[in-house]
Amino acid sequence: MKYVDDITKLFTRFGANAQSYQEIQPNYKDFKDDPVTMAEPEPAVASPPPNPAPSVFLLDEPQPSLLIGAAVEPVKNVVLSLPSPKSSPLTEPPASSAMGDRQRLSDLLRELNQVRRDGLPETTRKRTKAKVIAIVSANGGVGKSTVAAGLAKTLRRPGGRTIAIDLDPQNALSSHLGITRQVPGLIQLKEQDADWNAHRLSGFSDSECLPFGTGEVNDRRLLRQLMLEDSDWLNQHLASMNLSENDTVILDTPSGATVYSQQALDAADLVLVMTVADAASYLALDTMTQWLETSRRRAQRHRYVLNQRDDSRSFSRDMGVLFLRRLSANLIGSIRLDHQFNESLAYGRDPLQYAPESIGCQDILSLSGAVHALLFADVNSQQGTP
């Protein structure tokens, strides 16, 4: 079929004649676009925003009840003002405000931590009747065990006993008191129903000792876990010993803020901070003061002891002067360097019996007298502020 026949039939169908059909061939040679001119935009004139009229909402028509209850009288023709389109610009808070927020947050967190640590009020806790002395330090190697053993041998009231309890995993306190045999200690007596009285050992000068004991790593881990879970673990064990008001308990602790030293701090009536006459110990005084403030005891006393003072060196003497200026009356004692302590420990003898006239032993006796006067001279004064 030809193309012409198709066109003819199409025209015939619509009642037209195909002879009038003529195809026009397009010619683009002379075609040109008209130039388009872009009109420059007129500058925009800022006009004030329209002030919308207050909208009036007619509430005459009854609305579907959404609440179950007594019918509410509909309010008629209430005029609600729309907010002004102009709003005050936002200003950034001053830097002091951010600092104040951080300070308030710090205070709140400190207060929350104190409440968590306090737990029950102190008056409801069962405490031992004995006087408890905790010996702590910021740094190691300052002679805590030596001084703890010295006080255990010299600080005893008539009719009372002095019991030294070793909370240091090094388990060295018993050696300073002349106890050499391996016996069960705290690490084996960690359960709540353990009888601490049955495991006290006799030491030099009628002293008594409850050692830390030796055990596996897992045993020490379990003991630490018990202390972490129960902040009153030590207090409960001391109360179970049924000690009298004439008895004295001395707690030897590891250096630093450990769970052992924290338990001792919360149980103590008097905290003796051991330090030595060197720069590291002097720089640690601020850190130690902050840690002591975490104690739960309200009437607790804090005192410092300067140990191993070497008067043969000018630097040691100068540091002693700085400690005295810094601590003033809180420096309750100063113990001079005495090699008799190390020799007596090596030979298993009591330096207070073997060399009582040595300078170190004399200083230990002086410290014991100061501690005795602080705790026992006036029993009624212990209720006051330290």
Side-chain angles (χ1 to χ4, degrees):
M1 183 179 295
K2 298 182 180 180
Y3 174 74
V4 177
D5 296 336
D6 291 336
I7 296 298
T8 302
K9 290 180 179 181
L10 180 61
F11 271 79
T12 304
R13 184 177 180 182
F14 288 98
N17 188 5
Q19 299 299 326
S20 62
Y21 172 73
Q22 182 180 1
E23 291 188 7
I24 301 175
Q25 299 296 329
N27 184 8
Y28 299 102
K29 294 181 179 181
D30 299 329
F31 178 79
K32 294 181 180 180
D33 288 334
D34 294 334
V36 179
T37 58
M38 299 294 294
E40 296 183 358
E42 297 181 359
V45 178
S47 59
N51 188 13
S55 301
V56 179
F57 296 88
L58 300 181
L59 304 181
D60 293 342
E61 298 180 0
Q63 301 295 327
S65 178
L66 300 180
L67 298 178
I68 299 175
V72 180
E73 180 81 24
V75 182
K76 300 182 179 181
N77 300 337
V78 178
V79 179
L80 300 179
S81 299
L82 295 178
S84 174
K86 296 183 180 180
S87 59
S88 58
L90 297 177
T91 57
E92 295 183 358
S96 59
S97 175
M99 292 295 294
D101 291 339
R102 284 195 293 269
Q103 182 63 34
R104 285 191 294 272
L105 177 60
S106 176
D107 294 340
L108 290 173
L109 290 174
R110 189 179 298 108
E111 180 181 352
L112 180 62
N113 182 63
Q114 186 66 32
V115 170
R116 184 183 297 111
R117 283 189 42 75
D118 284 351
L120 296 174
E122 185 173 346
T123 56
T124 66
R125 293 190 180 96
K126 186 178 180 181
R127 291 190 176 277
T128 180
K129 296 179 180 179
K131 291 290 183 281
V132 181
I133 303 172
I135 300 181
V136 301
S137 71
N139 304 320
V142 297
K144 290 189 302 297
S145 297
T146 301
V147 173
L151 292 178
K153 292 179 291 187
T154 58
L155 193 64
R156 184 159 58 93
R157 299 189 69 190
R161 299 170 297 178
T162 302
I163 305 168
I165 299 179
D166 195 354
L167 293 172
D168 191 343
Q170 293 185 6
N171 196 37
L173 181 58
S174 57
S175 299
H176 288 270
L177 293 174
I179 302 171
T180 57
R181 65 183 186 274
Q182 298 293 332
V183 294
L186 298 186
I187 198 169
Q188 288 81 25
L189 307 173
K190 52 183 174 292
E191 301 301 333
Q192 193 60 46
D193 57 350
D195 186 3
W196 284 15
N197 283 318
H199 293 84
R200 292 180 300 179
L201 304 175
S202 298
F204 290 142
S205 302
D206 296 327
S207 64
E208 297 181 9
C209 178
L210 184 60
F212 185 88
T214 58
E216 301 295 333
V217 175
N218 191 51
D219 295 329
R220 290 195 295 271
R221 185 181 297 111
L222 291 176
L223 177 58
R224 289 185 68 256
Q225 187 63 31
L226 284 175
M227 291 184 173
L228 289 172
E229 294 176 354
D230 184 3
S231 61
D232 227 28
W233 178 88
L234 180 59
N235 273 317
Q236 295 176 13
H237 277 288
L238 292 178
S240 68
M241 297 178 73
N242 296 320
L243 301 175
S244 71
E245 297 177 352
N246 294 327
D247 295 331
T248 306
V249 176
I250 299 174
L251 305 173
D252 187 19
T253 67
S255 59
T258 65
V259 64
Y260 307 106
S261 53
Q262 188 65 58
Q263 291 266 344
L265 183 65
D266 293 339
D269 300 293
L270 171 65
V271 179
L272 293 181
V273 182
M274 298 299 304
T275 184
V276 294
D278 60 17
S281 297
Y282 188 86
L283 295 175
L285 289 178
D286 289 336
T287 302
M288 179 57 65
T289 301
Q290 295 175 3
W291 178 60
L292 292 176
E293 292 177 353
T294 65
S295 171
R296 299 183 299 182
R297 300 297 299 272
R298 298 295 181 263
Q300 188 178 80
R301 304 166 189 258
H302 304 150
R303 297 296 184 267
Y304 289 78
V305 178
L306 186 63
N307 194 25
Q308 302 174 4
R309 195 188 77 223
D310 188 359
D311 289 342
S312 65
R313 299 176 62 243
S314 59
F315 177 77
S316 181
R317 295 194 302 270
D318 292 342
M319 290 301 300
V321 172
L322 294 181
F323 272 96
L324 182 59
R325 289 179 180 177
R326 171 72 180 272
L327 300 174
S328 186
N330 288 326
L331 185 61
I332 195 176
S334 181
I335 303 174
R336 289 165 289 181
L337 180 64
D338 190 348
H339 296 289
Q340 283 291 343
F341 291 125
N342 285 332
E343 295 178 8
S344 297
L345 179 62
Y347 288 102
R349 58 198 182 197
D350 182 6
L352 290 173
Q353 297 293 330
Y354 180 78
E357 301 300 325
S358 68
I359 55 176
C361 290
Q362 291 298 310
D363 292 340
I364 287 288
L365 292 173
S366 177
L367 174 63
S368 178
V371 171
H372 188 281
L374 187 62
L375 285 180
F376 305 116
D378 187 358
V379 178
N380 295 328
S381 65
Q382 67 180 338
Q383 302 298 331
T385 303

